[in-house]
Amino acid sequence: MSKILFFGGKGGVGKTSCSSAFAVSKADQGCKVLLVSTDPAHSTSDLFNMKIGPKIIPIKENLDALEIDPQKEADGYIREIKSNMSRIVSPIILDEMNKQLDAARVSPGSHESALFDKMVQIINETSEHYDFIIFDTAPTGHTVRLLSLPEMLGAWMDSLLKKRRNTMALKRMTNRIKGHKESEEDPIIKILTRRKENLEKARSIMMDEDNLGFVFVMNAERLPIEETKKAVQLLKKYKIPVKYLVVNRILPDTMDPFWSQKKKYEKTYLDEIESYFKVETIYKVPMFQEDMQSGTINQMADYFKES
Ligand SMILES: Nc1ncnc2c1ncn2[C@@H]1O[C@H](COP(=O)(O)OP(=O)(O)OP(=O)(O)O)[C@@H](O)[C@H]1O
Ligand SMILES: [Mg+2]
C-alpha cells in the first residue's frame, strides 16, 4: 500500500519544486511514485516541461504524474450531485436545490469537496500500484481543511442515505397496500453506498498513521515558521502526523556584509525550527542560482536522498 504525502506550506515557498524533487528522488531510488498536482496553474507541467493532464502519464522511470483541475472537478461534482438529487427529491424542491448548488459552485467549499472526491478516487484506484502518492497542494489552510472533510462528508452521506431509505420504505408500504410487487434495489442507495464505501476505504488507507503524512515546506523566516506552527497544531487535532519539514532556499555562505547578516538571522531561525518541530527528518535545501526546471529539479532531488 502507498505512503501518501501531502506537501503544504505558504504561497511561493517551494511546494511544487520540493514535492517534484522529492518524487524524483524516490523514483531514482527505485520506488514507484505518483505525483499529483492540485494546482490550477499547472506548474508541474512547466517544471517538467511536459504536458501533464488529468490522466496519469509517465514522466520518467518509476515516476508518473497527473494534474487535477479543481474548478473542473467542482463542476463535475456539482453536476453529479444534481443528477443524484433529481432522483431523490420533488421538482419544486429540486429547483430550489439547484439554485443553492449553483451558489455552492463558486464557494471555496465545493472546490475542496470536489478535490477531495478526486483524491479519494486516486488513492483508491492507485494505492496498490505505487509506493508513494505525493500531492502538491495549494497554500496551507486550504489543505488542512481539505483533510477534515472525510468526517463532514461521511455525516452528510449518512443523512442522505437515511432519507432515501425512509422514502423507499414508504414506497414499499404503499406498493404492498396496492398489491404491486417489491421494487428492485434502489439505484440511488446503490450510488450513495458506493460513494460512502469509497470514502471509507480511502479514509482507512489515509488515516493509518504509517501511510499518511504531511510535509511542510517553509523558508527560514519568521512568518513561515509561525504559520507552520499553527498548521501543525491544527493537523494534530485531526490526528494527521507531520512527517517531514523542508526548509527551502537556504542561503549560501558569503563574505558580503548584507548577506552574511541575513545568514545570521537564518541560523537563528533554523535553530528555532530544529528545536521546536519534532519530525522524522528536516530536509534542508539550498537556494539555487536558477529557477527550478527539469534539469535543476534533479539537483534538488539529491537533497532528499536518504542519508
Ligand atoms: N531552492 C530554490 N532555489 C531557487 N529557486 C527556487 C527554489 N525553490 C523554489 N524556487 C523558485 O521559487 C518559485 C516558487 O516555487 P514553487 O512554485 O515551487 O512554490 P509553491 O510553493 O509551489 O508556490 P505556490 O504557492 O504558488 O504554488 C519558482 O519560481 C521556483 O523556481
Ligand atoms: Mg505550487
Side-chain angles (χ1 to χ4, degrees):
M1 216 180 277
S2 331
K3 293 224 178 292
I4 298 157
L5 293 177
F6 284 85
F7 275 68
K10 262 179 100 62
V13 289
K15 295 177 294 298
T16 302
S17 310
C18 292
S19 55
S20 305
F22 187 92
V24 167
S25 105
K26 289 294 169 206
D28 286 347
Q29 287 172 321
C31 301
K32 281 197 77 59
V33 185
L34 178 65
L35 176 64
V36 186
S37 160
T38 60
D39 187 343
H42 298 323
S43 35
T44 330
S45 287
D46 296 339
L47 196 59
F48 287 102
N49 203 10
M50 275 174 119
K51 181 89 202 75
I52 303 169
K55 290 226 164 68
I56 296 179
I57 62 153
I59 299 282
K60 57 179 280 181
E61 201 186 344
N62 291 333
L63 176 60
D64 296 344
L66 87 158
E67 284 178 342
I68 307 176
D69 183 334
Q71 182 65 53
K72 238 171 77 197
E73 291 305 324
D75 289 349
Y77 185 69
I78 299 277
R79 221 178 304 125
E80 203 190 311
I81 296 179
K82 275 184 180 171
S83 85
N84 283 354
M85 287 295 176
S86 69
R87 291 187 268 174
I88 302 181
V89 299
S90 75
I92 298 168
I93 300 176
L94 186 67
D95 193 43
E96 186 48 42
M97 284 187 86
N98 278 343
K99 276 189 206 141
Q100 284 183 14
L101 282 169
D102 285 332
R105 198 186 146 263
V106 288
S107 77
S110 79
H111 276 199
E112 287 163 348
S113 325
L115 249 185
F116 192 81
D117 239 35
K118 187 71 190 174
M119 288 179 178
V120 162
Q121 189 195 343
I122 291 169
I123 291 169
N124 284 342
E125 283 173 5
T126 67
S127 84
E128 299 295 322
H129 310 303
Y130 294 102
D131 299 310
F132 284 92
I133 303 177
I134 294 173
F135 288 96
D136 168 27
T137 75
T140 317
H142 201 76
T143 324
V144 175
R145 267 215 313 278
L146 189 70
L147 290 172
S148 69
L149 271 172
E151 274 155 47
M152 254 169 60
L153 284 183
W156 178 70
M157 277 195 276
D158 276 344
S159 80
L160 274 185
L161 264 171
K162 197 168 150 210
K163 215 167 163 178
R164 185 62 188 170
R165 287 211 176 97
N166 287 344
T167 316
M168 291 309 288
L170 217 65
K171 211 165 160 186
R172 268 200 302 276
M173 240 158 62
T174 31
N175 278 351
R176 229 177 283 138
I177 292 166
K178 285 185 189 157
H180 291 175
K181 68 180 186 32
E182 293 266 315
S183 52
E184 296 153 32
E185 206 197 335
D186 178 44
I188 310 278
I189 290 191
K190 253 201 243 164
I191 292 171
L192 288 173
T193 312
R194 191 167 356 105
R195 256 184 117 117
K196 201 169 136 62
E197 281 165 4
N198 284 342
L199 189 70
E200 268 157 15
K201 187 173 159 202
R203 175 152 61 172
S204 73
I205 298 174
M206 290 202 302
M207 291 304 157
D208 183 328
E209 211 170 299
D210 288 335
N211 288 338
L212 174 75
F214 215 91
V215 183
F216 272 106
V217 183
M218 65 206 290
N219 303 134
E221 287 167 6
R222 181 85 271 141
L223 285 180
I225 293 177
E226 291 309 318
E227 178 159 327
T228 308
K229 280 181 184 171
K230 275 190 217 137
V232 168
Q233 286 305 322
L234 201 60
L235 283 170
K236 221 185 216 160
K237 242 176 67 185
Y238 297 115
K239 300 195 175 59
I240 298 168
V242 177
K243 268 220 152 70
Y244 312 121
L245 288 183
V246 183
V247 187
N248 188 25
R249 285 209 194 86
I250 304 236
L251 297 171
D253 288 321
T254 167
M255 302 299 281
D256 179 276
F258 176 87
W259 289 106
S260 55
Q261 185 56 39
K262 203 148 168 65
K263 187 84 189 147
K264 263 196 201 135
Y265 289 132
E266 184 183 81
K267 169 94 179 59
T268 321
Y269 288 133
L270 268 175
D271 289 345
E272 182 183 344
I273 290 169
E274 278 173 348
S275 67
Y276 183 89
F277 295 103
K278 301 285 171 254
V279 296
E280 234 169 76
T281 313
I282 299 180
Y283 294 100
K284 293 180 197 133
V285 178
M287 177 181 265
F288 293 93
Q289 236 162 21
E290 315 140 54
D291 274 4
M292 292 294 122
Q293 347 148 350
S294 45
T296 30
I297 214 73
N298 289 322
Q299 248 175 290
M300 196 190 245
D302 285 343
Y303 291 85
F304 292 103
K305 297 254 149 74
E306 300 293 330
S307 44

